[in-house]
Amino acid sequence: MAKKLSKMSAPLGIERDYQTKLRKITTKVKDVISEEIVMNLETIMLETEALRPREDSIRLDQTIGEKVADLFKATEQGVSSKVSDYELSQITDGTAEQISAWNKAQITMVMKQGLGVDIYQAEPWLAQELQIFTVNNVNLIKSSNAAFLKQVETVVYDGMRRGLRHEEIAKQILGSGKDELGKVSKFKNAKNRANLIARDQVNKLNGQLNELRQENAGVKSYIWRTNVDGRERASHNHWNGMEFTWAKGSPIGTNPGDEIQCRCYAEPVLDDLLK
């Protein structure tokens, strides 16, 4: 009979560390937006109001539109200067290495516990997997930063058309609470995206490495285990304790960690290796 294996844990510490680093990146973007855009909102709105027609459709003076466009170009350049691709690569590459080391320790623990010996397997594929994580995450972070800037641009132009006070526009961009419609600021949205990227990507890579390392060791099937944290899917709770093969996966073709923000893990079935 196969030995009962210890529960494998999710890399929550790495997830929190990655979230902190990505939020710092978002704060850097916010600082550039504050300096280039928010600090100039009062002047922009005063100029817009002075040219606002009183009995006709609202039309922004082209010079003001050009001025705002120039501010956003300067903001994009400032973000590129403060948040370099090199910095993002260093952060994401370091995180990938942390996840790999964590995952290897977890796999080694259960394999040694179940088989009674420590099985070392060469991993010629590992460097490529970690590089893919780095490239993909750099792109995700840059896309998130670009989305932040685009949302700010929309808020500014919308505020200009509606004649909002500069304080209200600034609140929509950087506010810490919710507005009268219950919406959080664009900065808060961006921080939430950073948190989501970190949670999702850390667990995805952990799940992928778990799969690759188990298959590399000759493990053909696994027991689906759900890490109960109040955010698990009903289907994943249903699969908890069920056995699936790596070749086919769950009833919908997924394996633990595949779906967004999934913290489930695959407990290796070692019966074939024990024969």
Side-chain angles (χ1 to χ4, degrees), residues 174-228:
L174 302 178
S176 58
K178 296 181 179 180
D179 63 18
E180 61 276 6
L181 298 177
K183 295 181 178 180
V184 299
S185 70
K186 303 311 175 187
F187 175 46
K188 180 66 174 177
N189 277 338
K191 288 198 295 184
N192 289 341
R193 281 197 301 272
N195 287 336
L196 187 150
I197 288 171
R199 281 195 301 269
D200 180 56
Q201 292 297 303
V202 167
N203 287 289
K204 268 190 172 57
L205 181 58
N206 188 52
Q208 289 165 357
L209 293 180
N210 197 12
E211 175 180 355
L212 290 168
R213 282 174 166 145
Q214 287 192 32
E215 289 188 314
N216 199 40
V219 175
K220 293 181 171 54
S221 60
Y222 63 86
I223 305 297
W224 189 293
R225 298 297 186 192
T226 301
N227 279 303
V228 180

Side-chain angles (χ1 to χ4, degrees), residues 252-270:
I252 62 172
T254 59
N255 291 311
D258 284 353
E259 295 186 77
I260 188 168
Q261 300 190 73
C262 174
R263 286 196 176 105
C264 299
Y265 71 94
E267 177 186 298
V269 174
L270 303 177

Side-chain angles (χ1 to χ4, degrees), residues 117-156:
V117 294
D118 187 2
I119 297 179
Y120 171 78
Q121 297 286 335
E123 300 178 327
W125 43 264
L126 181 60
Q128 178 175 298
E129 291 298 320
L130 301 189
Q131 180 63 23
I132 290 172
F133 175 89
T134 295
V135 172
N136 185 48
N137 275 250
V138 167
N139 288 334
L140 284 172
I141 298 166
K142 291 173 71 173
S143 294
S144 181
N145 292 342
F148 184 13
L149 289 176
K150 190 63 179 177
Q151 289 184 352
V152 171
E153 185 177 5
T154 299
V155 166
V156 171

Side-chain angles (χ1 to χ4, degrees), residues 71-89:
L71 288 176
F72 276 103
K73 287 180 181 178
T75 303
E76 290 178 357
Q77 292 171 354
V79 169
S80 296
S81 175
K82 282 201 169 185
V83 184
S84 67
D85 285 3
Y86 176 77
E87 178 184 7
L88 296 182
S89 294

Side-chain angles (χ1 to χ4, degrees), residues 30-44 67-76 149 152-153 156 166 169-170 173-174:
K30 182 265 292 183
D31 290 342
V32 177
I33 290 172
S34 180
E35 180 179 344
E36 297 290 347
I37 303 297
V38 176
M39 296 294 289
N40 290 291
L41 281 176
E42 184 174 10
T43 299
I44 292 170
K67 182 182 294 186
V68 175
D70 288 341
L71 288 176
F72 276 103
K73 287 180 181 178
T75 303
E76 290 178 357
L149 289 176
V152 171
E153 185 177 5
V156 171
H166 68 90
I169 299 174
I173 296 171
L174 302 178

